[in-house]
Amino acid sequence: MSDVVILSCSPSQHSKTAKLGEHVAFELRRLSITSTVLSLRDLPAAPLLRGDLEHPTLAAARHQVAEARGIVIATPIFKAAYSGLLKVFLDVLPQYALTGKVVLPLATGGSLAHVLALDYALRPVLQSMAPLNVLPSLFLLDKTLLHSNGTDLCRESLTDLDATLLRFRLALPPAESIWHDQAVA
Ligand SMILES: Cc1cc2nc3c(=O)[nH]c(=O)nc-3n(C[C@H](O)[C@H](O)[C@H](O)COP(=O)(O)O)c2cc1C
């Protein structure tokens, strides 16, 4: 199991947020933190929407989250909030699924008008799931994220991310503090 699970929360096939999630995994590796990217768009849609907790793929995803010390949430901003895909996934987790964990919310968005969306929309939901800590969130403007070739991430736009990931690493709880037998509600 990995120290950190990165929830990649865009439904898009060619997703900027997914690239950001992969980049976070790469940077965490450089900080000696193991991580797994959990692509929510690849989870089976019908069991996810129906809340079929017995489905093996969903059960495996829930287990990955339960075993992690830290959760990075990489979501696009849609309609002034986090993605619906993220909400349906959070809804299939146990009520206190974030117990003992440190959470880092990251967003990509098209407008600075919604820079606070993670704080007013997502943070209260995360707090209801009993995390150890939800770190300050980071919003990245989509037009600054990629080079003009449209595929590679632009390093200059990621300088805040480097400092954010260092803070995240320092905030992670020790592995032995994770409660491995979380009730599945
Ligand atoms: C349906 C839709 C709604 C969007 N709504 C917003 C919004 O309210 N605020 C914002 O800043 N960006 C908004 N955007 C822009 C996306 O957040 C931005 O392009 C993001 O990087 C897309 O991530 P993705 O490529 O991973 O899907 C919206 C995009 C779409 C497709």
Side-chain angles (χ1 to χ4, degrees):
M1 284 295 152
S2 300
D3 293 317
V4 170
V5 170
I6 301 163
L7 300 182
S8 186
C9 307
S10 174
S12 313
Q13 187 180 3
H14 303 290
S15 162
K16 296 179 269 287
T17 316
K19 285 189 197 306
L20 178 65
E22 296 292 346
H23 177 78
V24 167
F26 177 78
E27 290 299 320
L28 288 178
R29 253 194 314 279
R30 288 177 9 141
L31 296 172
S32 305
I33 303 290
T34 61
S35 67
T36 303
V37 176
L38 182 55
S39 172
L40 302 190
R41 77 185 294 276
D42 295 327
L43 293 177
L48 188 62
L49 287 173
R50 293 182 189 137
D52 177 4
L53 304 184
E54 306 300 317
H55 191 283
T57 310
L58 281 195
R62 282 157 50 90
H63 184 66
Q64 278 184 314
V65 170
E67 293 290 307
R69 300 192 274 151
I71 307 291
V72 176
I73 296 179
T75 179
I77 300 298
F78 287 160
K79 305 285 195 290
Y82 56 96
S83 73
L85 189 52
L86 172 57
K87 184 63 165 75
V88 287
F89 183 69
L90 293 177
D91 287 350
V92 298
L93 294 179
Q95 174 68 62
Y96 301 121
L98 299 178
T99 300
K101 304 180 198 307
V102 169
V103 184
L104 173 62
L106 305 175
T108 72
S111 161
L112 284 178
H114 294 140
V115 73
L116 289 178
L118 288 180
D119 288 329
Y120 63 68
L122 181 59
R123 189 170 290 270
V125 179
L126 298 175
Q127 287 297 349
S128 79
M129 299 171 76
L132 181 64
N133 196 1
V134 181
L135 297 182
S137 50
L138 182 66
F139 177 100
L140 295 160
L141 261 185
D142 60 358
K143 64 177 178 229
T144 67
L145 209 53
L146 299 183
H147 279 298
S148 48
N149 66 13
T151 53
D152 299 331
L153 284 175
C154 182
R155 284 275 349 159
E156 295 80 71
S157 67
L158 299 174
T159 47
D160 289 348
L161 182 65
D162 292 342
T164 299
L165 292 180
L166 270 178
R167 275 197 298 274
F168 177 63
R169 188 184 77 155
L170 290 174
L172 282 176
E176 55 274 17
S177 69
I178 288 303
W179 182 23
H180 292 284
D181 271 320
Q182 288 187 3
V184 175

